[in-house]
Structure formats: C-alpha cells, structure tokens
Amino acid sequence: MSILVVAEHNNSALNAATNNVVTAARAIGDDIHVLVAGSNCGAAAEGAAQIEGVAKVLVADNAAYEHQLAENTSLLIAELGKNYSHVLAAATTTGKNTMPRVAALLDVDQISDIVAVEDADTFKRPIYAGNAIATVQSSAPIKVITVRGTGFDPAATGGSAPIEALASAHDAATSAFVGEELAKSDRPELTAADIVVSGGRGMGNGENFEILYSLADKLGAAVGASRAAVDAGFVPNDMQVGQTGKIVAPQLYVAVGISGAIQHLAGMKDSKVIVAINKDEEAPIFQVADYGLVADLFEAVPDLAGKL
Amino acid sequence: MKVLVAVKRVIDYNVKVRVKADHSDVDLTNVKMAINPFCEIAVEEAVRLKEKGVASEIVVVSMGPKECQEQIRTALALGADRGIQVQTDEKLDSLSVAKLLKAIVDEEKPDLIVLGKQSIDSDNNQTGQMLAALAGLPQGTFASEVKVEDGKAVVTREIDGGLQTVALNLPAVVTTDLRLNEPRYASLPNIMKAKRKPLDVKSPAELGVEVASTITTLKVEPPAERQAGIKVGSVDELVEKLKNEAKVI
C-alpha cells in the first residue's frame, strides 16, 4: 500500500505543514512518496527528501506548476494518484483548492480535514464547526484526504530519500496567475506558533492592535484575530482564526476582547491552555478558558506585557 | 450572461448542535434551518452582477428533500430569476452533488457558476472544486473579489499568506469566501413576488446521475470537553498561574 503525499511549498522552501501530513501518512502505511510540483522547486524537493519516513520524492518541475494552479496540478496528481491507495495533502488553502479536484478526476469521494487515523480506511474529522467529531469509513479504491495539521505532530527531519524527476507537464490552459499580495510578518506563522495572541472586536480599532503586538513580541507569539476584528478592518483576513479562517492548536492561546462565538472556537479550542481577557464576565469565551481575567483589556494587556 | 448559483439548506449557524444519544448523527429534529451563509454570499454576488448589467439571468439550484424549496424561494426573493430543485431524500456527499450540478450545467450552459466555499454542517469545502473538475472548467475558490472583464473572470482569492489573483476563462466556477460581500435581506414584497417565480423539480434519475457514496459514517461524538477553568483576580495571578501551574511561559 503506497501513499502519495502532495507537498506544500513555495518553490524555494517546503512548508512545515507537509511534515504533519507525513505523520498522518505513517499512521496509514509505510511506503510514502512525496510529490513536489512547482517551478525551480529543487530546494523544496531537497526539504521533502529530509523528512523522516519518506521513501521517495517525486519532482515535477515545470513552468505550468509554478503557482500550483489547481487546474494544472490536479491533472498531474490524479495521473500519479491512480498508482496509490491514498493521496494526502495538508488542509491548507492550496490543499483545499486542489484535492477535491483530484478526487473528482479519480471519481472518488474525498475526506476533508482529518484529525485522526483509526486504520487505513477509517478516519476522524470534525463537522458542524468542530461541535461534533465524525468517524468515517471509506470504501473508495483510492482515498483522497486532506489533513488538519494541528491533529498530527510534525515528522522529524534527518532522512535522505532519493529524488526522482518526473517529465510530466500538464497545462489545462484555462487559468492564469495574475498576482499576489502576501502579508509580511516577522512573527511566527500563525498555524505553527507555540503561543498565539488574538484580538477581537473589543480591540476597538487597528491601532490598538499595537498593544497585542508588543505582548506577542514579549512571548514570541503569533498574532491572530476573530472574524469581527477582520470584518471591521482592524487587521487583514489572513490573521483570522476560526471555522472559516485558520485552525490553530498552540500551547497557549490568549483571547483578548473576543466574545467566543461558535465559529471562532472552532479554530482554537484544541489549544492546550486558553486564557481569556474580557470585560464581559458573561462572554462565552470564559466557558472554554483555563484562565479567565475579567478586566479592561487596555489596562490588563500592557500590564501583562510589562510583567513578562 | 447566465449565472448558476447553488444553495444548501443547513442548520442555522447560530444553533449549537447536539449529538444524538446513540451517536448516529447530530440531532436535527425541530432545529432552525437556513441557507448556508456562504451560499447567501454566492446569491448576493450573482444579484450584484445582474445589477451591474453583467449577468442577465440567475438560476438557483438546490438539492435535497422537498423542504429545500424554502431556501430556493429565499434566493428568489433576494433576486434570483428561477429555481431548480433536485429532489432526493438520499444523503448526498459532495461528489454526488457535483455530478448533479454537472448535469444541470450541461443543460443550462451558464457562463459563471457560483457556490459557497463550504457548508457549515459537513465543513467539506469540496463541491465547487469537484464540479469544476467534472465540467473541465477553471475554478476561483475562496473568492473575496470577482470581476468579469474581456471574457474572463478575474478572481481575488483568500489564501493562507494573503491574497492571490487569478484570471479564468469563462465559463468558470467561483466559490465565495466571507469577505466577498455583505448579503442583503429579502424585503416583504420580494418574498411575495418570489412565490410566483418558476421553480422546476427534477430527480437525479432524470438528470442521469446515480447518487451513491463510498463514505459511511460509523459514529458521531461530541468533542472532548475541556476541563472547567478558573477566573483569576489580577494580572499578577495570571502570570503566576501561567508560569507555575500551566508552565506555558
């Protein structure tokens, strides 16, 4: 039983989410191949070869795969996928974009966002914004799966798998990359950070997020936000934590001025320790918080930063 | 141009679901149902394209039991022109829905197909992509902006690191993200008018689609309960607990 893991990368480096997917793959079987599809993506392939437990890295280096447009890469992955029992990718925006397309091309159902592997056919996944956990079994000949990174530990590096080049070049020629605007940040990446400090509507405006940034810098934390803070324009959308944003499970999650709506909790309630700072003692966030502080955030947050 | 919008009847997003005691599923009896929030955004975007003179006709489609006609009527009240219901009492997985939609796309030949990025019940985030694959069309998923110009759909997408813009040949499939627009409310006169708009009912068999799934749900459980926390009285106490009790800083 061979498993194909589709690597997440930006051509020059492998995204750490791939390591979590390899751990999920190892819970299914042993013969794990990683596909790196991109353009001038040799460095990303080198990164994939170093993940422990990877038997082989396949590299499809072609201009058509540069931005990993789903129309092109799905043709490649579906073509390769026929030879595997499982095809896995991280449940990132790239994985979510591409994998259902792969599944449809292979005429199989897809299982999204798994958080646990029971056996080679049986998986656990959250439904209803994480308010229920479904155990699902698949009888599909090829299991196409996306993996929630926070459900699995990252696989260690130190391996040295052989790298094999693929000649494949699929170009559907129906879509084109126009441009991108990536948010720049020196802080840790939200989904990988050990500590996350998040602000909500209670922050009042974007300038006030400065006090969260100074707290985050003291803690070496990433900064997140609730949908209310994003919709109000305080911060960009890629900072959103929740059912429709990013799913995080850090060691410590500090929710500041966040009421704790179902959709927000879906993105953070697997954090090890949750701290809530809110002036409304009835806020639902206190029902999931390990430590709650009923206080005005504009006094409590600078005070907290000062005491660290 | 013609726009096809898919809508799904789901539990209202404010309702906190309960898992059935026998762990077979969640309990949906007597629970408030509504249009999936992402589908509302899809309807709104289609209506805005019509208001701009880009779209000429909006067809809204939903699949499921007879009750999903309520959600089609809501979409008609928001500005869609006519509805199609694919009636089935079977539980539909994304691939089946995508196959049914593909059959409708073959019949209707829309220039743009708009879906929500995910439904808030199954949280799959699959159908739009699967439809695009089956129909051989390009896709603009997680859209926060859609422009139709020079025979192409230019779609700005919400990706993990920020935003990405792609140009898609028409016809194309677009799935909506939360920030695409703010859906309007249906006015009472429009709700009345919607009752007279045409609504076709079809069956999967008429569309030549066999509805089947390879996925079996073995068990549905509530998530692990978190231990009840404590309220601390001061910032000092919080720092002390985080350092010595939780040992996370």
Side-chain angles (χ1 to χ4, degrees):
Chain A
M1 191 155 50
S2 299
I3 302 166
L4 182 66
V5 168
V6 181
E8 172 96 11
H9 66 92
N10 64 358
N11 293 316
S12 55
L14 194 72
N15 183 320
T18 310
N19 296 53
N20 303 65
V21 181
V22 169
T23 300
R26 292 178 80 172
I28 298 168
D30 290 329
D31 190 21
I32 298 165
H33 301 176
V34 176
L35 169 67
V36 179
S39 178
N40 292 320
C41 55
E46 294 289 340
Q50 287 165 17
I51 302 176
E52 268 183 25
V54 173
K56 187 161 73 173
V57 176
L58 306 170
V59 185
D61 199 326
N62 190 287
Y65 306 137
E66 185 174 2
H67 299 286
Q68 295 160 54
L69 296 173
E71 294 78 6
N72 301 347
T73 54
S74 62
L75 294 170
L76 166 69
I77 301 165
E79 180 187 75
L80 291 172
K82 291 192 183 87
N83 306 317
Y84 292 88
S85 62
H86 296 73
V87 184
L88 272 62
T92 55
T93 47
T94 311
K96 289 175 179 175
N97 188 37
T98 307
M99 294 299 270
R101 209 170 162 111
V102 171
L105 291 172
L106 292 169
D107 194 24
V108 293
D109 292 297
Q110 184 193 296
I111 304 174
S112 291
D113 238 350
I114 62 162
V115 294
V117 174
E118 299 284 286
D119 60 41
D121 309 324
T122 316
F123 309 92
K124 284 185 189 284
R125 60 176 303 264
I127 51 175
Y128 292 90
N131 286 300
I133 307 293
T135 305
V136 294
Q137 190 169 46
S138 167
S139 61
I142 304 166
K143 275 81 170 164
V144 177
I145 294 168
T146 60
V147 176
R148 181 173 290 192
T150 58
F152 300 88
D153 293 330
T157 51
S160 56
I163 297 175
E164 188 181 300
L166 299 173
S168 158
H170 289 286
D171 190 349
T174 51
S175 61
F177 173 84
V178 176
E180 64 189 2
E181 268 176 67
L182 298 180
K184 293 212 170 28
S185 173
D186 299 331
R187 294 189 186 86
E189 211 255 314
L190 196 50
T191 52
D194 282 335
I195 303 181
V196 173
V197 176
S198 281
R201 195 193 304 273
M203 297 305 297
N205 59 46
E207 288 76 60
N208 289 340
F209 262 73
E210 286 302 329
I211 63 171
L212 287 193
Y213 296 142
S214 25
L215 174 62
D217 290 343
K218 282 268 171 77
L219 290 164
V223 179
S226 70
R227 183 185 166 192
V230 173
D231 281 352
F234 300 173
V235 292
N237 65 279
D238 52 282
M239 284 170 64
Q240 185 182 329
V241 172
Q243 185 182 18
T244 61
K246 291 184 175 144
I247 314 284
V248 301
Q251 294 291 306
L252 172 62
Y253 188 89
V254 185
V256 180
I258 291 176
S259 64
I262 293 172
Q263 292 77 13
H264 184 73
L265 300 183
M268 47 63 81
K269 67 183 178 176
D270 292 327
S271 305
K272 184 161 171 273
V273 174
I274 298 174
V275 169
I277 301 175
N278 203 303
K279 64 181 175 193
D280 173 13
E281 61 179 313
E282 302 295 322
I285 190 78
F286 287 118
Q287 291 164 20
V288 300
D290 299 280
Y291 302 107
L293 178 62
V294 181
D296 183 342
L297 69 94
F298 296 106
E299 286 164 22
V301 173
D303 191 14
L304 178 58
K307 282 170 176 155
L308 292 168
Chain B
M1 66 180 208
K2 189 196 268 191
V3 181
L4 182 75
V5 184
V7 301
K8 184 176 183 184
R9 173 183 172 87
V10 298
I11 189 166
D12 185 276
Y13 74 96
N14 282 311
V15 176
K16 188 158 166 47
V17 295
R18 272 196 308 274
V19 172
K20 284 185 188 170
D22 67 359
H23 291 172
S24 60
D25 204 348
V26 298
D27 194 351
L28 292 181
T29 43
N30 299 320
V31 167
K32 188 180 172 208
M33 303 294 277
I35 292 192
N36 179 47
F38 292 99
C39 302
E40 270 190 310
I41 295 171
V43 173
E44 176 67 28
E45 196 62 20
V47 173
R48 289 187 189 191
L49 286 171
K50 193 174 176 190
E51 286 168 348
K52 281 186 213 149
V54 177
S56 50
E57 188 188 25
I58 303 168
V59 182
V60 58
V61 55
S62 189
M63 291 157 193
K66 192 158 197 315
E67 291 76 31
C68 71
Q69 289 189 8
E70 291 167 26
Q71 279 62 48
I72 296 176
R73 290 288 173 204
T74 306
L76 295 173
L78 291 167
D81 296 294
R82 63 188 169 87
I84 301 171
Q85 185 218 354
V86 181
Q87 185 152 341
T88 169
D89 291 327
E90 297 279 327
K91 186 180 165 290
L92 297 174
D93 273 319
S94 310
L95 186 63
S96 295
V97 175
K99 285 179 179 175
L100 291 166
L101 282 172
K102 157 78 165 57
I104 304 252
V105 166
D106 288 345
E107 276 184 10
E108 294 284 340
K109 303 200 170 23
D111 304 285
L112 188 67
I113 304 130
V114 194
L115 299 86
K117 81 163 175 181
Q118 76 192 61
S119 63
I120 60 162
D121 50 2
S122 55
D123 279 334
N124 273 325
N125 195 330
Q126 298 172 356
T127 305
Q129 295 89 315
M130 287 179 162
L131 168 64
L134 296 175
L137 301 178
Q139 66 189 42
T141 51
F142 328 141
S144 61
E145 193 183 354
V146 178
K147 282 186 286 196
V148 177
E149 50 193 34
D150 306 330
K152 286 185 195 286
V154 179
V155 178
T156 302
R157 309 177 50 232
E158 300 207 357
I159 60 169
D160 283 334
L163 298 170
Q164 180 193 66
T165 304
V166 290
L168 312 173
N169 295 354
L170 292 174
V173 175
V174 169
T175 73
T176 64
D177 215 318
L178 278 173
R179 267 160 293 279
L180 182 57
N181 61 48
E182 183 89 29
R184 69 193 67 190
Y185 293 98
S187 67
L188 190 58
N190 285 342
I191 293 171
M192 300 309 290
K193 266 187 241 164
K195 291 184 179 175
R196 291 192 301 273
K197 289 185 179 175
L199 197 169
D200 271 353
V201 180
K202 293 176 188 282
S203 71
E206 279 173 66
L207 293 168
V209 175
E210 200 174 324
V211 172
S213 176
T214 52
I215 297 175
T216 317
T217 300
L218 302 179
K219 196 164 56 177
V220 175
E221 299 163 291
E225 289 276 325
R226 288 191 74 93
Q227 291 273 330
I230 56 161
K231 286 214 174 107
V232 294
S234 67
V235 169
D236 288 315
E237 195 187 338
L238 178 62
V239 173
E240 192 272 319
K241 294 276 188 203
L242 290 177
K243 276 191 175 145
N244 302 321
E245 196 176 274
K247 296 189 172 62
V248 283
I249 56 172

